[in-house]
Amino acid sequence: MKQFHPLKVVAKQQETRDSLRIALDVPEALRPTFAFQPGQHLPIQTTVDGKRLRRTYSICSGLGDWPLEIGVRVQPGGQFSEFAANELAVGDELEVMPPTGRFHVDLDSDNDKFYLGFAAGSGITPILSIARSILNGEPGSRFALFYGNRKQRSTMFIEDLYALKNQYPDRLQLHFVFSREDQEFEINAGRIDAEKVAELCAHFCRGDHADEAFVCGPDSMITTVTAALTERGMLADTIHAERFGVPRRAMKPVAEEPAASKDTTTVTVIMDGHKKSFDMVRDGVSIVDAAAGSGVELPYSCKGGVCATCRTHLREGDVRMATNYGLEPWEVEAGFVLACQSQPVSEAILLDYDKA
Ligand code: FES
């Protein structure tokens, strides 16, 4: 199982009034462990007022850049983000798990691709990493980024984006859309919705066929942008999406499932080559929470079905997933599940955390 490692905060910088950039030093010996694919995120843990908090933050660094940088939007009342904004200082340590997540690009220096990126608000964080890495690592590829915000002053990483545009003027298209600020051109005003996607693509892509698209923002934006891209002829498996700000959903008890004849399940997990078992009652609690109650720690971060830190392979038995934003269709097909969203529906299940 991936472990948490203490990483030192080596820089902390205000990005906008309500967002931060935090740089984490990764010692040379740990760099292979923290090697990441652009677009992935880091589960981070700390203790605030005696309470252990765990959150997931996307990496904004380009491939091969150290220290690792993350973007943090400070949410009013958000325990971790307010701690990061008000108390975390350079020199402090955070417990950090190696990069994870299925929202990423597989780079190939021989690629000659045209990529689209659609980001809203802090959704720019992983897309900045993806765009940087593609432009640096695929000399034949181009990237068109459409980035929506309320106002210019609330736009995260704006200086990084202008610097990237200066570095790659012919291969990066950079277009901002602002919803609460007058714009000289109508096309730059409003929200990134289906209509805006059609308008932006018609105006700036001019029949250029996109090979892959990366979309990151709130749930409603993902749904509309994905549908608009599909409408324009992109295949579903070339559109990659990551949802930000998805609320945690309580799971309903598995009452109507007919398969089980008793209301407890024996859960066996394989992790790092070892087997552990515990019994859980099928009363609406997830496998991750039931395991914790039995003294078995399973990996998790968001517990909202988004980050896929809890991804595991169901080798035997059946489960029902309440929500899945973190797994691709092929992974579900292949038997992978999100343990934070899964409840057993059979009397015994076997979960293999060692299967990649
Ligand atoms: S912990 Fe994030 S998807 Fe399960």
Side-chain angles (χ1 to χ4, degrees), residues 300-310 338 340:
Y300 72 87
S301 184
C302 73
K303 286 195 182 177
V306 179
C307 71
T309 307
C310 62
L338 300 174
C340 81

Side-chain angles (χ1 to χ4, degrees), residues 17-198:
R17 204 178 57 174
D18 66 349
S19 66
L20 308 166
R21 171 204 303 254
I22 295 170
L24 299 162
D25 182 44
V26 181
E28 202 74 43
L30 275 179
R31 290 195 178 171
T33 307
F34 278 85
F36 67 96
Q37 290 172 293
Q40 287 192 305
H41 44 245
L42 298 172
I44 298 181
Q45 181 172 279
T46 194
T47 303
V48 178
D49 297 333
K51 190 173 166 191
R52 195 164 70 163
L53 303 177
R54 196 179 282 190
R55 298 290 185 272
T56 303
Y57 289 104
S58 289
I59 297 166
C60 58
S61 316
L63 199 63
D65 294 340
W66 305 100
L68 275 187
E69 292 191 333
I70 56 168
V72 176
R73 177 74 84 190
V74 182
Q75 308 288 350
Q79 288 175 297
F80 191 103
S81 62
E82 287 196 338
F83 158 79
N86 302 323
E87 295 175 46
L88 187 71
V90 170
D92 289 351
E93 282 185 341
L94 291 170
E95 294 172 64
V96 185
M97 199 183 271
T100 186
R102 316 299 297 168
F103 181 69
H104 60 75
V105 63
D106 295 317
L107 294 176
D108 184 336
S109 58
D110 291 334
N111 274 348
D112 176 12
K113 288 186 175 180
F114 178 42
Y115 296 93
L116 297 179
F118 291 89
S122 55
I124 189 64
T125 314
I127 291 196
L128 174 59
S129 174
I130 289 170
R132 265 187 176 140
S133 305
I134 286 171
L135 293 166
N136 290 337
E138 295 188 355
S141 294
R142 293 170 297 131
F143 199 100
L145 173 60
F146 303 98
Y147 181 16
N149 280 280
R150 290 180 183 168
K151 299 181 175 185
Q152 179 145 340
R153 72 165 187 267
S154 63
T155 302
M156 289 175 76
F157 301 120
I158 196 162
E159 296 303 328
D160 295 64
L161 291 168
Y162 284 137
L164 206 55
K165 176 67 184 164
N166 283 339
Q167 195 178 352
Y168 300 108
D170 300 330
R171 296 200 290 124
L172 173 64
Q173 284 188 55
L174 182 57
H175 303 289
F176 295 99
V177 177
F178 297 108
S179 61
R180 295 202 191 159
E181 209 165 59
D182 288 341
Q183 297 301 307
E184 187 179 351
F185 302 107
E186 195 52 35
I187 198 165
N188 298 113
R191 292 178 181 282
I192 298 185
D193 54 16
E195 209 175 307
K196 187 59 75 180
V197 170

